[in-house]
């Protein structure tokens, strides 16, 4: 094992291209920690949540989340972030049975100046009623979204906020929700990242909080010529509606697409 370690160290010293490739991966990891970076990516986010209702039902949600940056000018980018949920849920109460379908699609448009260190992003968010019965609000909603973050050394931290209002305000259960997501990421030189975030949602119509905390790790791998960031997280709900989940798990695979 010592012989292998010595040979490995000698190869790195003799091949600066390998070191620069590793440095490039670290920069990619830092870009992935920034929701408005100019990086085309395709994340697949698998969520498992337990335990819903009196039957302690389970829910599995696959969020397909493409991120597409557009270079508007030399100083400004437009970052389009889309979330398409695919949901499978086991029986939450006797007689309800299992359910499967789509959730509503959320699309956010962040206008962001090309800056380093301190980053801002602002723009509209739109919720499309693409969901099936049981997983949809069945209404259009829109509102503002904003992001502020700081990247300093190995650390990335900030706050993402979104407000959605129903387009048709005559509905009895109209959408009126606020999402507050403070986040922290520490990226090590080997691309491993430590992630902590809150995905707090307040439903103003029902006067209910949903407050899960996610804690986990990520790392960049190379499959052939394809670079992928994989991550796993545990989730605990500090607050949720009656019959809501208590805990969960998250697995994320993010494909980086050269632009």
């Amino acid at each position: 094992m010592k012989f292998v370690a010595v040979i490995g160290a000698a190869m790195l010293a003799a091949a600066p291209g390998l070191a620069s490739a590793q440095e490039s991966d670290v920069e990619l990891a830092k870009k992935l920690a920034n929701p408005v970076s100019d990086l085309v990516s395709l994340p697949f986010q698998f969520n498992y949540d337990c335990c819903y209702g009196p039957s302690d039902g389970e829910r599995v949600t696959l969020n397909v989340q493409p991120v597409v940056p557009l270079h508007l000018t030399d100083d400004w980018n437009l970052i389009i972030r889309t979330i398409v949920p695919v949901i499978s849920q086991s029986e939450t109460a006797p007689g309800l049975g299992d359910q499967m379908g789509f959730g509503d699609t959320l699309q956010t448009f962040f206008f962001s100046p090309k800056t380093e260190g301190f980053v801002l992003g602002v723009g509209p968010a739109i919720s499309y009623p693409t969901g099936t019965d049981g997983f949809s609000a069945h209404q259009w909603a829109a509102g503002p979204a904003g992001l502020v973050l700081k990247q300093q050394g190995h650390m990335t931290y900030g706050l993402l906020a979104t407000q959605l209002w129903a387009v048709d305000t005559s509905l009895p259960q109209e959408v009126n929700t606020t999402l507050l997501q403070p986040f922290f990421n520490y990226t090590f030189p080997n691309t491993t990242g430590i992630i902590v975030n809150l995905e707090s949602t307040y439903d103003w119509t029902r006067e209910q909080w949903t407050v899960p905390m996610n804690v986990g790790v990520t790392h960049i791998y190379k499959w052939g010529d394809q670079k992928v960031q994989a991550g796993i997280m545990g989730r605990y709900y500090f607050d949720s509606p009656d019959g809501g989940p208590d805990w969960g798990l998250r697995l994320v695979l993010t494909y980086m697409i050269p632009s």
Side-chain angles (χ1 to χ4, degrees), residues 78-222:
L78 171 61
I79 314 298
I80 305 173
R81 300 181 63 89
T82 306
I83 302 176
V84 181
V86 183
I87 306 169
S88 176
Q89 181 172 281
S90 64
E91 187 173 72
T92 58
L96 291 183
D98 299 341
Q99 294 177 285
M100 185 171 182
F102 289 93
D104 292 338
T105 299
L106 178 64
Q107 196 165 50
T108 310
F109 303 82
F110 285 107
F111 294 90
S112 178
K114 297 179 182 180
T115 58
E116 296 183 0
F118 184 73
V119 179
L120 293 172
V122 65
I126 303 173
S127 177
Y128 308 94
T130 57
T132 50
D133 288 343
F135 302 128
S136 174
H138 297 295
Q139 54 190 289
W140 290 78
L147 170 78
V148 58
L149 71 82
K150 176 74 172 178
Q151 286 194 312
Q152 184 176 12
H154 297 282
M155 296 186 297
T156 300
Y157 51 92
L159 174 67
L160 171 66
T162 304
Q163 171 64 44
L164 291 173
W165 292 289
V167 174
D168 184 357
T169 58
S170 65
L171 299 171
Q173 291 291 329
E174 65 184 63
V175 171
N176 184 358
T177 59
T178 300
L179 169 67
L180 298 173
Q181 184 177 337
F183 55 89
F184 173 84
N185 184 298
Y186 189 94
T187 304
F188 292 93
N190 65 350
T191 78
T192 297
I194 305 297
I195 295 177
V196 180
N197 66 45
L198 285 172
E199 297 177 344
S200 305
T201 303
Y202 186 71
D203 186 332
W204 295 90
T205 302
R206 297 174 177 82
E207 298 183 345
Q208 293 176 340
W209 278 102
T210 302
V211 186
M213 171 179 274
N214 300 295
V215 180
V217 296
T218 61
H219 189 82
I220 290 180
Y221 299 91
K222 191 173 182 179

